[in-house]
Amino acid sequence: MPAPGELTFVAPRGAKRPPRHLADLSPAERREAVAALGEKPFRAKQLSQHYFARYADHPDAWTDIPAAARGRLAGDLLPELMTVVRHASCDDGLTRKTLWRLFDGTLVESVLMRYPDRVTMCISSQAGCGMNCPFCATGQAGLDRNLSTAEIVHQIVEGMRALRDGEVPGGSGEGLDRLSNIVFMGMGEPLANYRRVMDAIRRLTDPAPDGLGLSQRGITVSTVGLVPAIHRFTDEGFKCRLAVSLHAPDDELRDTLVPVNTRWKVREVLDAAWRYSDVSGRRVSIEYALIRDINDQAWRADRLGRLLKGRRAHVNLIPLNPTPGSKWTASRPEDERAFVAGLQAHGVPVTVRDTRGQEIEGACGQLAATAR
Ligand code: SAH
């Protein structure tokens, strides 16, 4: 049964599922899977150690497991999930986009960004997206399919491995050779692939070697505002950050910018967000792409300020990144400044996102995963 708010996805007839992988399974399920192969259950812990603590998914590296058993375990629990089609870098290598090909030829992208004090990876939860926001390149191509839990997790394991192996310049030790932040802001609507995204969060945050041992506080789930799924996410009890892609304070405009608004209105989305912040104790991020002459008027800043005033919220303004075929563009600098001031007048914290990766089509809303 799909979760409330989860959009059912019917796989084309004959379509195969992604191969089962260690990262799809809970620690108990891993022990069962290993036992089903006739291996000692403790091999599950060894495999988890190799994968989640050493990022070693090739059996040659598993010297604590008898050679005869390695192939069997690898074939059953660590199949190849994805291969790199190419990397593209900018900002002197500090931003790196990876195009992945999945087992069935599906393409997805992830972006790794190194900052002076943190390393963030922006990952995909679906191939394509079904939300159809007109300013987002991913939305234009439609939904291809949900990613499996392991396909989500593996993007991050590969990011961790790349950092450890010095593939991304600027590392210095001091904790900067690990990912500190994960944002579900790549391709897809994470709350439309609810169960797999939740399982992925468990794999990311379970202590090593059961999982990667990342902090829940460093994980951001960004949503268009699937209200029932936000409530369900609240009840999971995670301390993750919730980001809500609002983009307009009024239903009339939001109906056109974020089409799912015709189902769940601004007020309902914000009420769900406030409940999340009450239960989690965390400030909610309100994402707002500034689009010239569309949603950047002073009266809209004022209206947004009134909606958010006194709430545990922070506004992240994103100058619109260009996408192919779109007539829209980023706001004028003076309109952006006035928008910031309009929010500050209500005491609402606001930052303008230092948007990364435009040159490599790796910025917010530009991920389209084409092979060319
Ligand atoms: N589906 C999720 C995650 C996707 S992207 C969501 O909508 O929240 C992360 C953010 O980038 C979202 O706020 C999205 O609306 C925004 N975005 C999409 N296209 C953009 C563009 N062309 N320029 C700037 N931001 C964009």
Side-chain angles (χ1 to χ4, degrees):
M1 269 262 295
E6 185 159 8
L7 306 181
T8 39
F9 167 68
V10 182
R13 201 182 284 275
K16 285 194 291 175
R17 286 162 174 273
R20 182 189 69 168
H21 185 278
L22 190 80
D24 289 311
L25 305 178
S26 67
E29 290 168 335
R30 292 172 211 166
R31 283 191 295 278
E32 281 166 30
V34 165
L37 287 178
E39 294 290 338
K40 297 265 185 345
F42 72 85
R43 299 268 178 242
K45 200 84 171 178
Q46 289 178 311
L47 286 180
S48 298
Q49 178 79 28
H50 287 303
Y51 185 69
F52 288 109
R54 300 201 186 101
Y55 324 129
D57 59 358
H58 197 280
D60 288 352
W62 307 343
T63 50
D64 55 351
I65 299 178
R70 286 184 214 164
R72 203 161 49 238
L73 288 165
D76 201 56
L77 282 160
L78 284 133
E80 185 172 78
L81 290 170
M82 53 185 79
T83 51
V84 175
V85 177
R86 68 166 170 270
H87 297 293
S89 298
C90 62
D91 305 320
D92 295 327
L94 299 183
T95 302
R96 180 172 94 154
K97 178 170 89 163
T98 304
L99 175 66
W100 302 100
R101 187 189 309 279
L102 308 182
F103 87 102
D104 56 355
T106 302
L107 300 174
V108 294
E109 293 180 316
S110 57
V111 186
L112 205 151
M113 291 158 281
R114 188 192 281 288
Y115 296 89
D117 58 338
R118 64 185 194 280
V119 189
T120 299
M121 192 163 188
C122 177
I123 53 158
S124 295
S125 57
Q126 299 183 308
C129 185
M131 298 296 123
N132 211 18
C133 303
F135 54 90
C136 176
T138 310
Q140 298 322 294
L143 177 65
D144 214 333
R145 68 170 170 86
N146 281 324
L147 300 193
S148 68
T149 300
E151 286 172 332
I152 297 170
V153 171
H154 195 68
Q155 297 168 57
I156 298 140
V157 169
E158 263 301 302
M160 291 285 247
R161 192 203 50 71
L163 287 167
R164 181 200 60 195
D165 294 349
E167 289 178 16
V168 185
S172 65
E174 297 176 31
L176 293 177
D177 293 321
R178 271 175 74 79
L179 291 167
S180 48
N181 297 70
I182 304 294
V183 296
F184 281 88
M185 293 189 182
M187 301 172 76
E189 165 52 41
L191 295 186
N193 186 13
Y194 187 87
R195 186 180 53 76
R196 296 177 195 86
V197 167
M198 295 304 125
D199 282 346
I201 293 174
R202 290 188 186 94
R203 300 295 111 75
L204 300 182
T205 57
D206 277 353
D210 288 344
L212 285 171
L214 297 172
S215 155
Q216 290 181 9
R217 306 182 76 79
I219 297 178
T220 301
V221 174
S222 181
T223 178
V224 287
L226 305 183
V227 168
I230 295 175
H231 285 305
R232 200 170 162 213
F233 181 51
T234 303
D235 296 331
E236 303 280 349
F238 291 126
K239 295 268 178 265
C240 299
R241 186 185 289 286
L242 176 71
V244 172
S245 296
L246 202 65
H247 306 312
D250 52 309
D251 287 319
E252 196 185 346
L253 179 59
R254 193 165 191 270
D255 281 350
T256 67
L257 294 182
V258 184
V260 81
N261 194 70
T262 54
R263 193 142 161 218
W264 293 292
K265 299 296 177 195
V266 169
R267 175 159 300 277
E268 284 176 274
V269 173
L270 290 179
D271 283 347
W274 307 147
R275 182 169 165 267
Y276 184 83
S277 86
D278 287 344
V279 172
S280 66
R282 300 222 50 194
R283 207 158 68 155
V284 170
S285 273
I286 303 294
E287 312 289 292
Y288 200 106
L290 278 177
I291 314 176
R292 184 184 296 189
D293 297 330
I294 301 289
N295 66 351
D296 62 356
Q297 305 82 354
W299 72 266
R300 283 203 162 90
D302 183 60
R303 181 118 159 220
L304 183 62
R306 286 175 200 280
L307 286 175
L308 305 187
K309 189 179 184 146
R311 301 290 188 171
R312 219 174 337 203
H314 168 270
V315 178
N316 219 319
L317 297 174
I318 319 170
L320 188 82
N321 294 306
T323 58
S326 170
K327 50 191 183 302
W328 290 332
T329 179
S331 299
R332 297 171 198 87
E334 60 272 28
D335 293 337
E336 181 184 298
R337 280 195 296 275
F339 206 91
V340 170
L343 290 169
Q344 285 170 337
H346 290 285
V348 174
V350 50
T351 44
V352 178
R353 184 173 293 173
D354 151 35
T355 172
R356 285 256 190 122
Q358 264 199 23
E359 308 91 303
I360 53 171
E361 267 155 24
C364 308
Q366 294 187 316
L367 302 184
T370 47
R372 279 184 304 123

